[in-house]
Amino acid sequence: MHIEQEILDKVNVWLTPTFDEHTQETIKEIMTSSPKELEDSFYKNLEFGTGGMRGIMGIGTNRINKYTLGKNTQGLANYLKVSFPNEELKVAIAYDCRNNSDTLAKVVADVFSANGIKVFLFSEMRPTPELSFAVRHLGCHTGIVLTASHNPPEYNGYKVYWQDGGQIVPPQDAAVIAEIESLQYSDIKFDANESLIEYIDVAVDEAFRDSTIKNASFNTSTEARKNLKIIYTSLHGTSIKAIPGVLEKAGYTDVNIVAEQAEPNGNFPTVVSPNPEEPEALTMALALAEKIGGDIVVGTDPDSDRLGVAVRNTDGKMMLLNGNQTMVVMTAFLLEQWKKQGKLTGNEFIGSTIVSTPMMLELASAYDVECKVGLTGFKWIAKFIKDFPNQTYIGGGEESFGYMVGDAVRDKDAVAAILLVCEIAAQAKEKGSTLYQELLQMYVDFGFYKEHLISITKKGIEGANEIKQMMVELRQNPLKEINGQRVVCVEDYQSSKGKDFMNGEEFDILIPKSNVLIYYLEDGSKICARPSGTEPKIKFYFSVNCQIENITDVTEAEIQLDTKINNIIAAMQLN
């Protein structure tokens, strides 16, 4: 096959003495055995997306390896020195259970230390939210976690956090990227200053655990906590280092761990995907719940920022909740607790994202707090906390199974979220209800909202071009009607413009630009199209709703809403 000269020029750079012999020999082998793989490994540079930099491990500019991470780290080190002159720079580094995460974390630590920067490196794998906590706890200027979240085993990644404990956002992200892109691979300092690397573990663990319990406990009785039968799985990930200890100290004594998935393993041998968004991932936990009569199933992804939850429905069967459902249940509970404690002053806010359920806006209105809505990615919710220091953050989430309780951690945090959801379930059980019944009552009180997500995977260069063309078509030929419903408004977050077709007026969108389109229909339905920032996918989000008067109306209403979603998908020719 023909390979573009631009790609070959990149390959030739990697065949110079700047790169180790193993790297050079591997490239030579790929050049003859798999030109297609060579092209995919070098046709672009890995970029920062909504969750940092994430990609397949291997050799090349489009892969996660010591050189791509080393270059990122060198650029970040340079930027830190400019941003904080005459300060003793400090960085915290954590890593998850993935293959090579520990060795890549040490490479990152080496580069920082070679640049004279103090490094706090976790001695073993730890949850991502603990890294966010550690940045502020240790007074660091930045933090790094080596993780690819819920991606397949061949992936790894590099997430950058700033002083506030939140992921890096504008203007720092663009400035760091510019610094990285100005460097040559020969500029990377790999020779560690070991005296600047300090290993951390138990002391930070205890501070993180105590902070979690303080933020996510709400006067649940000792008896209620003892009576909740919890099934928990870490899906071979890092949460095993934190969640059992947090639940135990909080007073939950009936915690049943899925033993087959308790051992950290970057190959994730018992699941197709280590993602609690996928029902299959919690199969073993659900089976254990049925076997021993569990009340609630909770599971986490490999780096413990996402959580999956299953509870018993009105028929007593275990039912998986989606991210929007867990988000509204937790938010409503927090708002009610704050109200009971007299802490709502009108100066509080909750956080959500443009692709998450509009039900969050209804909750905010009912409790007279603000709902700040940002782009996809938890860094934007964390940014709200930094940008509005005079307002108090209560909690917030996104549809992709992430939630953040309070501001001690500035990223989605499955550790605190699991404690919180257990508090809700324990209190509900004590009063003769269930978490699911609490959710159904919310549908009566605030409206029945139903969401659905379609992810279309398109791999490689061709796939990236197909996704790009799909968004071009949606912009150049905007839909006027979907499923017999008029489009009443379109928001284009790439142009930062929206148009209200009811009055013909255009308006500005006052949040950062992003490649997202949202259609609003006259019946209140919402459709969002968004290419993923970290995976070769384009995602379509659907939200429909209706009003119900009683819990007994839920079954019929759900059938109607499911039918509406299916009809919308068919009308858009996405099935």
Side-chain angles (χ1 to χ4, degrees), residues 95-98 125-128 147 149 232-244 257-258 260-271 274-275 299-305:
Y95 57 92
D96 70 2
C97 62
R98 287 182 174 272
M125 65 186 71
R126 287 296 187 277
T128 287
T147 178
S149 188
Y232 156 70
T233 177
S234 61
L235 298 181
H236 304 288
T238 61
S239 71
I240 199 74
K241 297 286 186 180
I243 288 174
I257 299 173
V258 179
E260 300 92 332
Q261 297 176 328
E263 187 69 29
N265 188 326
N267 294 318
F268 313 113
T270 66
V271 292
N275 183 0
T300 61
D301 65 346
D303 68 327
S304 188
D305 57 2

Side-chain angles (χ1 to χ4, degrees), residues 23-180:
T23 295
Q24 294 181 56
E25 290 303 317
T26 303
I27 291 172
K28 290 174 184 175
E29 184 180 319
I30 295 173
M31 289 177 78
T32 55
S33 64
S34 182
K36 178 68 175 172
E37 181 184 345
L38 185 77
E39 180 184 59
D40 195 55
S41 298
F42 282 93
Y43 84 93
K44 68 174 184 177
N45 295 337
L46 276 180
E47 299 169 351
F48 280 88
T50 54
M53 191 178 82
R54 201 182 299 176
I56 295 170
M57 290 179 280
I59 288 169
T61 60
N62 188 32
R63 295 287 185 262
I64 293 286
N65 52 65
K66 67 176 287 188
Y67 296 103
T68 53
L69 295 191
K71 191 176 178 184
N72 281 355
T73 306
Q74 185 63 53
L76 181 55
N78 293 351
Y79 181 73
L80 287 169
K81 290 180 178 181
V82 172
S83 301
F84 303 102
N86 306 316
E87 289 190 35
E88 181 193 355
L89 297 173
K90 294 185 286 186
V91 57
I93 302 173
Y95 57 92
D96 70 2
C97 62
R98 287 182 174 272
N99 299 325
N100 304 315
S101 278
D102 53 352
T103 54
L104 290 171
K106 183 58 167 66
V107 168
V108 173
D110 289 349
V111 174
F112 276 125
S113 69
N115 283 275
I117 296 172
K118 170 71 175 178
V119 176
F120 295 101
L121 174 62
F122 277 98
S123 59
E124 293 180 316
M125 65 186 71
R126 287 296 187 277
T128 287
E130 186 168 350
L131 183 277
S132 172
F133 172 83
V135 169
R136 295 173 68 226
H137 180 68
L138 298 171
C140 293
H141 296 82
T142 192
I144 305 290
V145 61
L146 279 297
T147 178
S149 188
H150 57 281
N151 280 49
E154 64 269 25
Y155 280 76
N156 215 315
Y158 179 96
K159 290 171 76 171
V160 182
Y161 293 77
W162 206 238
Q163 275 186 304
D164 65 324
Q167 290 183 51
I168 194 168
V169 293
Q172 283 84 15
D173 55 357
V176 170
I177 291 168
E179 183 63 41
I180 292 167

Side-chain angles (χ1 to χ4, degrees), residues 372-384:
K372 294 184 187 292
V373 179
L375 295 175
T376 307
F378 241 83
K379 62 184 181 182
W380 302 110
I381 295 179
K383 189 174 187 295
F384 289 143

Side-chain angles (χ1 to χ4, degrees), residues 421-487:
V421 84
C422 288
E423 292 280 280
I424 300 168
Q427 291 190 22
K429 185 177 181 180
E430 187 174 44
K431 66 181 184 182
S433 179
T434 66
L435 188 148
Y436 186 64
Q437 287 175 297
E438 299 293 302
L439 173 64
L440 296 184
Q441 186 58 48
M442 288 176 60
Y443 289 152
V444 175
D445 295 340
F446 304 107
F448 188 4
Y449 285 78
K450 176 91 176 180
E451 280 76 30
H452 185 68
L453 167 67
I454 290 180
S455 291
I456 302 172
T457 300
K458 303 280 187 180
K459 293 185 177 181
I461 302 173
E462 295 86 355
N465 289 333
E466 283 185 61
I467 289 172
K468 183 177 179 181
Q469 187 58 36
M470 289 174 79
M471 294 300 291
V472 168
E473 286 290 328
L474 284 170
R475 286 192 168 92
Q476 292 182 350
N477 303 295
L479 300 169
K480 302 280 196 310
E481 182 183 282
I482 301 173
N483 189 35
Q485 294 288 322
R486 283 184 303 164
V487 174

Side-chain angles (χ1 to χ4, degrees), residues 127 129-130 208-209 212-213 230-234 237-250 252 255 257 298-301 303-308 413-419 422:
E130 186 168 350
F208 174 62
R209 181 192 62 203
T212 300
I213 292 170
I230 302 165
I231 313 300
Y232 156 70
T233 177
S234 61
T238 61
S239 71
I240 199 74
K241 297 286 186 180
I243 288 174
V246 165
L247 290 175
E248 181 182 12
K249 186 160 186 184
Y252 290 92
V255 179
I257 299 173
V298 290
T300 61
D301 65 346
D303 68 327
S304 188
D305 57 2
R306 298 178 189 228
L307 76 154
D413 176 6
V415 183
I418 280 178
L419 176 55
C422 288

